[in-house]
Amino acid sequence: MTSRREFLSYTGAGAVLVAAGPVKGQVNASEAPRAPAPQQSPGYLPTRTLNGWTLPYTLKNGVKEFHLVAEEVEHEFAPGTTAKCWGYNGTTPGPTIEAVEGDRVRILVSNRLGEHTSIHWHGILLPSGMDGVAGLNQPAIRPGETFAYEFTLRQHGSHMYHPHADEMVQLATGMMGLFIIHPKDGEPHRIDRDYSLLLHNWAMHPGTYRPDPSIMVDFDLWTFNSKVFPAIESMVARTGERVRIRVGNLSMWNHPIHLHGVQFWVTGSDGGRWPEQQWRTESVEIVGVGQTRDLEFIAVPGDWAFHCHMSHHTMNAMGHGVPNPIGVDQSGIDEKVRKFLPGYMAMGKHGMAEHQEHTESGHISGPANTLPMMMGTGPYGNLEMGGMFTVLKVRDEQPPGDYRDPGWYQPPAGSVAARVSTDPEFGSPIRRKS
Ligand SMILES: [Cu+2]
């Protein structure tokens, strides 16, 4: 039996899935199986959904038919934390839908949840009755039912899909996906690599196995495509290539997304691709709640951090509301507290970086199913991060179209910051006394 993931790995993103049988319980009899459509090259550069996948479609009488299944999924944020989330077709986020401006698309949505749902096609121009707000545009899709949405794509750009029924719960548990529409006339500037990710936040309280939808501000995990660092794939490129990163935000916070090493152009949003005179250069772009942004740049060699600039959003699970230990002499505390809390370890007098050393050396362990606050190792030591962080790896010799991780950057001699003294009193820096 071939798994869906294996199937995708050899059909490739954007491939046409042919010869699919009729969908069980499908209402439209005119969609009976036809001769398989020929395999087509997609005619565009497929996006690469970090840690994710693109949904194959069936071409039926000129209509691209996709089938989404809303269901509970077993999801791993990173090795060490899994949860019962909700998503589509086995994953959160659901698979990316990719199509071309001008396409007629039909999207079947089957509901295998225990409550009703619907799907809203965020930012997409369509007839009111296809907009997916349960109660407003359509009746909700009850458990066991399949609805068909059908419309013609009149635009191109980076868009999203998500439920518009019991939205607070269904978003908090992971129901969302990307909907990428490619331009029918090609790109004004050739794009060599195209990456996509959705920002999200999760109240995965330490020791629990289900996201808590009642939390409004104090989240535990911050994710790119429902993964936390260090489980988020690196992005790779060849020096000089033009790279686009599409970032969508269906979380409850705005995220200032920062890319090191370049000034990127912001070239589009969920309101569509922008005219070139509207592009602007940035190194941080706030992707607001419900928004998407397209970031484009010419790749320069190196290992470059790509992350949210809210420093708590590049952490994994952590205690909030604990006393501040910085500067506090805690000698003797360990023994006293261990009588009540076996294994207790006082730390943090000089800062929190030691946290990663302690968790990785096994001195301390957290609650079950809970990732340490800080994780990840680079060529020079601990990265002391989690959450919304990954690395863009650009290499002169990365073959075009090759997405394999090239390993760590080998910088030219003399181009790395290096120690010049171990004397704490070194030099005579100018200082002020307040
Ligand atoms: Cu953030």
Side-chain angles (χ1 to χ4, degrees):
M1 188 69 190
T2 306
S3 76
R4 178 179 54 245
R5 293 302 194 100
E6 286 163 346
F7 177 79
L8 280 166
S9 68
Y10 58 78
T11 59
V16 182
L17 176 63
V18 295
V23 178
K24 193 171 161 241
Q26 190 171 316
V27 281
N28 192 343
S30 69
E31 298 303 338
R34 291 167 182 275
Q39 287 280 352
Q40 298 173 346
S41 73
Y44 52 82
L45 175 72
T47 197
R48 191 173 175 88
T49 309
L50 284 187
N51 298 90
W53 58 297
T54 291
L55 187 62
Y57 59 83
T58 312
L59 200 56
K60 288 189 175 172
N61 208 13
V63 180
K64 288 181 177 174
E65 186 177 282
F66 300 84
H67 193 165
L68 288 173
V69 180
E71 59 188 353
E72 187 163 289
V73 301
E74 191 80 20
H75 177 68
E76 183 183 77
F77 290 93
T81 294
T82 57
K84 292 210 179 301
C85 301
W86 296 358
Y88 298 96
N89 305 54
T91 61
T92 170
T96 297
I97 293 174
E98 281 190 271
V100 180
E101 182 183 8
D103 281 348
R104 182 88 176 160
V105 295
R106 181 184 306 116
I107 304 152
L108 304 173
V109 179
S110 298
N111 183 3
R112 293 188 194 160
L113 297 170
E115 71 166 356
H116 63 230
T117 188
S118 75
I119 298 194
H120 167 60
W121 314 99
H122 180 111
I124 295 180
L125 306 172
L126 35 61
S128 171
M130 294 291 163
D131 200 41
V133 180
L136 177 65
N137 306 117
Q138 62 166 91
I141 308 169
R142 289 178 298 184
E145 292 181 341
T146 297
F147 271 46
Y149 295 85
E150 185 167 330
F151 43 91
T152 299
L153 302 176
R154 296 155 51 198
Q155 68 205 100
H156 59 93
S158 306
H159 303 283
M160 306 183 283
Y161 64 86
H162 64 80
H164 231 299
D166 194 12
E167 223 179 307
M168 184 188 82
V169 168
Q170 296 188 7
L171 280 170
T173 48
M175 294 179 72
M176 57 187 65
L178 285 151
F179 197 136
I180 306 298
I181 309 172
H182 298 278
K184 65 175 186 299
D185 299 324
E187 302 280 356
H189 299 273
R190 179 199 150 91
I191 302 289
D192 300 301
R193 312 249 178 182
D194 189 300
Y195 292 98
S196 291
L197 58 104
L198 277 172
L199 308 172
H200 199 33
N201 47 218
W202 305 75
M204 273 295 299
H205 306 314
T208 67
Y209 292 81
R210 267 186 202 273
D212 176 357
S214 70
I215 297 300
M216 197 166 81
V217 289
D218 206 355
F219 295 97
D220 303 289
L221 293 177
W222 306 87
T223 55
F224 292 164
N225 288 339
S226 304
K227 291 280 186 181
V228 294
F229 180 78
I232 301 169
E233 285 176 359
S234 295
M235 292 180 278
V236 298
R238 180 185 175 91
T239 303
E241 283 183 330
R242 189 181 185 93
V243 181
R244 174 158 54 208
I245 306 175
R246 306 172 191 257
V247 185
N249 182 2
L250 287 172
S251 79
M252 297 267 284
W253 284 81
N254 298 336
H255 300 285
I257 297 299
H258 184 34
L259 173 59
H260 296 205
V262 294
Q263 295 169 321
F264 54 76
W265 298 282
V266 188
T267 63
S269 74
D270 44 315
R273 299 277 300 154
W274 298 345
E276 207 162 326
Q277 58 277 24
Q278 217 174 305
W279 295 2
R280 52 189 163 76
T281 52
E282 302 286 355
S283 80
V284 179
E285 175 70 1
I286 296 179
V287 186
V289 176
Q291 294 184 323
T292 73
R293 287 289 184 272
D294 296 342
L295 318 178
E296 289 179 35
F297 56 92
I298 306 299
V300 297
D303 282 343
W304 304 109
F306 176 84
H307 62 97
C308 177
H309 218 285
M310 300 274 272
S311 54
H312 280 229
H313 296 184
T314 53
M315 292 282 118
N316 288 329
M318 58 190 292
H320 296 125
V322 292
N324 179 4
I326 296 173
V328 177
D329 179 2
Q330 299 174 83
S331 48
I333 297 260
D334 285 359
E335 267 178 50
K336 290 178 182 165
V337 177
R338 276 184 197 151
K339 288 176 191 158
F340 310 100
L341 276 177
Y344 176 84
M345 189 171 192
M347 58 174 153
K349 181 185 176 187
H350 302 291
M352 296 191 187
E354 62 176 306
H355 182 89
Q356 183 169 350
E357 292 165 27
H358 293 308
T359 51
E360 289 190 357
S361 65
H363 288 150
I364 55 169
S365 57
N369 199 40
T370 303
L371 293 166
M373 175 171 80
M374 296 172 172
M375 298 175 73
T377 310
Y380 305 103
N382 289 343
L383 281 160
E384 294 158 4
M385 274 182 280
M388 293 173 161
F389 180 93
T390 190
V391 180
L392 169 71
K393 297 182 174 180
V394 182
R395 303 289 183 270
D396 294 344
E397 62 279 10
Q398 187 78 10
D402 185 344
Y403 288 87
R404 282 175 301 179
D405 191 314
W408 300 115
Y409 184 57
Q410 305 291 329
S415 69
V416 179
R419 179 168 53 223
V420 294
S421 171
T422 55
D423 173 9
E425 302 302 321
F426 174 74
S428 45
I430 297 164
R431 301 154 78 205
R432 286 185 175 182
K433 286 204 168 82
S434 55

